[in-house]
Amino acid sequence: MRNEEADHIVRCSLCPHCCAIPNGRFGRCGVRGNKNGKEILPFYGYITALAMDPIEKKPLYHFRPGSMILSAGFAGCNLRCPFCQNWRISQAADGCTNIPGTEMQPADLIAAALRKDSRAIAYTYSEPLVHAEFLLDCMTLARKHDITNVLVTNGCINTNAAEAILSLTDAANIDLKCFSAETYAQTLGGNISAGNILETVCAFIRLAYAKGVHIEITTLVVPGLNDSLAELDACADFIASLSADIPWHLSAYHPDYRWNAPPTDPAFLERVKERVLQKLKFVYIGNV
């Protein structure tokens, strides 16, 4: 963050929103704030969920299959997807401290993994990237204990922070929510004045792949939003441009939060799967 002392504005440069945060307020993510012209991170190490999960739940199908992973959840998100299925923690922050959770230092999370005999930690459930400082501290310590770092993320973060975090990441499931800059801007809580959110996400995926991170991609297929064959083909083409070996998870939507469209038809997902298997070797259907 950068402090603009003249008017006590803190400008955050973590993601494309580049929020100018007034005194006493928080940025779009709800967790990065301004107190008397100084940046504050009151949710540093605030864990909203901690559980052992099958790694396939992330979903990661081609990374240590059959293993269990300690999953740590956070609060807040820098997108506003109206169909979010974790909205109670992703959309409830905005500086609010009554979200159920536990404060944990990086050493506490590492100790929890060791107690549960987990050789990997997933940063997941809500959006971990908006807690970049905690991620960097925790991931660095995890590496010292030979614990693998796994990200489950929307990929909406600027290059400098992405470089630092991905250098400590072993595997990631990254959301490619659609292939429309307009949908990202108008519906998914980007904003028209922000940078191109779609390109930011694509750049994050490219960088993760270039750094040798094991990546798998997930697209929640929402009827009437991103379910045209042309758009899904564009997603598949982008993934294939990196490697046909990257797994793509087509996840079925169900009504939640502020979105009431009918659930995704599993038969439609099967048709899409058969179609894109001409371009990608590994396509999976989930959430049905």
Side-chain angles (χ1 to χ4, degrees), residues 1-5 8-14 19 21-27 31-44 130-134:
M1 292 190 183
R2 187 176 74 249
N3 178 25
E4 298 180 1
E5 293 186 5
H8 298 288
I9 294 291
V10 168
R11 185 170 293 277
C12 181
S13 59
L14 182 67
C19 295
I21 308 172
N23 182 33
R25 303 292 296 276
F26 285 78
V31 298
R32 308 176 69 82
N34 176 353
K35 183 176 182 179
N36 299 325
K38 304 295 183 182
E39 66 176 290
I40 57 171
L41 302 170
F43 289 90
Y44 177 95
V130 298
H131 302 275
E133 293 82 0
F134 181 80

Side-chain angles (χ1 to χ4, degrees), residues 119-234:
R119 304 310 305 177
I121 297 174
Y123 309 92
T124 181
Y125 298 142
S126 185
E127 180 47 57
L129 291 180
V130 298
H131 302 275
E133 293 82 0
F134 181 80
L135 284 190
L136 290 170
D137 291 345
C138 196
M139 289 175 146
T140 299
L141 188 58
R143 282 278 175 92
K144 292 179 180 178
H145 288 271
D146 196 28
I147 292 175
T148 295
N149 292 309
V150 173
L151 272 178
V152 181
T153 177
N154 63 25
C156 184
I157 190 173
N158 288 332
T159 302
N160 287 345
E163 286 270 3
I165 291 170
L166 288 172
S167 69
L168 295 166
T169 302
D170 298 288
N173 187 288
I174 306 166
D175 285 343
L176 182 59
K177 294 180 182 291
C178 62
F179 216 78
S180 164
E182 181 180 3
T183 300
Y184 264 109
Q186 295 185 357
T187 305
L188 305 184
N191 61 58
I192 296 174
S193 63
N196 188 323
I197 306 296
L198 172 61
E199 181 49 41
T200 299
V201 174
C202 289
F204 185 86
I205 294 171
R206 291 189 197 100
L207 182 60
Y209 180 74
K211 282 184 169 292
V213 176
H214 173 88
I215 60 173
E216 302 190 21
I217 308 299
T218 293
T219 300
L220 183 71
V221 180
V222 182
L225 181 79
N226 64 350
D227 64 337
S228 72
L229 291 178
E231 186 161 349
L232 293 170
D233 278 345

Side-chain angles (χ1 to χ4, degrees), residues 18-149:
C18 295
C19 295
I21 308 172
N23 182 33
R25 303 292 296 276
F26 285 78
R28 181 174 289 261
C29 64
V31 298
R32 308 176 69 82
N34 176 353
K35 183 176 182 179
N36 299 325
K38 304 295 183 182
E39 66 176 290
I40 57 171
L41 302 170
F43 289 90
Y44 177 95
Y46 194 77
I47 304 301
T48 58
L50 192 65
M52 290 294 292
D53 289 329
I55 200 163
E56 288 82 3
K57 188 178 176 182
K58 298 304 98 190
L60 289 173
Y61 284 11
H62 290 225
F63 186 80
R64 299 186 179 178
S67 66
M68 299 292 288
I69 187 168
L70 181 66
S71 297
F74 299 86
C77 185
N78 54 356
L79 294 181
R80 291 289 185 272
C81 303
F83 41 77
C84 180
Q85 295 171 34
N86 284 321
W87 62 271
R88 290 171 182 83
I89 56 174
S90 71
Q91 306 301 316
D94 201 22
C96 176
T97 56
N98 63 358
I99 301 171
T102 303
E103 291 185 7
M104 300 181 73
Q105 293 299 312
D108 298 328
L109 193 54
I110 300 305
L114 294 174
R115 281 196 306 272
K116 294 180 179 295
D117 198 27
S118 175
R119 304 310 305 177
I121 297 174
Y123 309 92
T124 181
Y125 298 142
S126 185
E127 180 47 57
L129 291 180
V130 298
H131 302 275
E133 293 82 0
F134 181 80
L135 284 190
L136 290 170
D137 291 345
C138 196
M139 289 175 146
T140 299
L141 188 58
R143 282 278 175 92
K144 292 179 180 178
H145 288 271
D146 196 28
I147 292 175
T148 295
N149 292 309

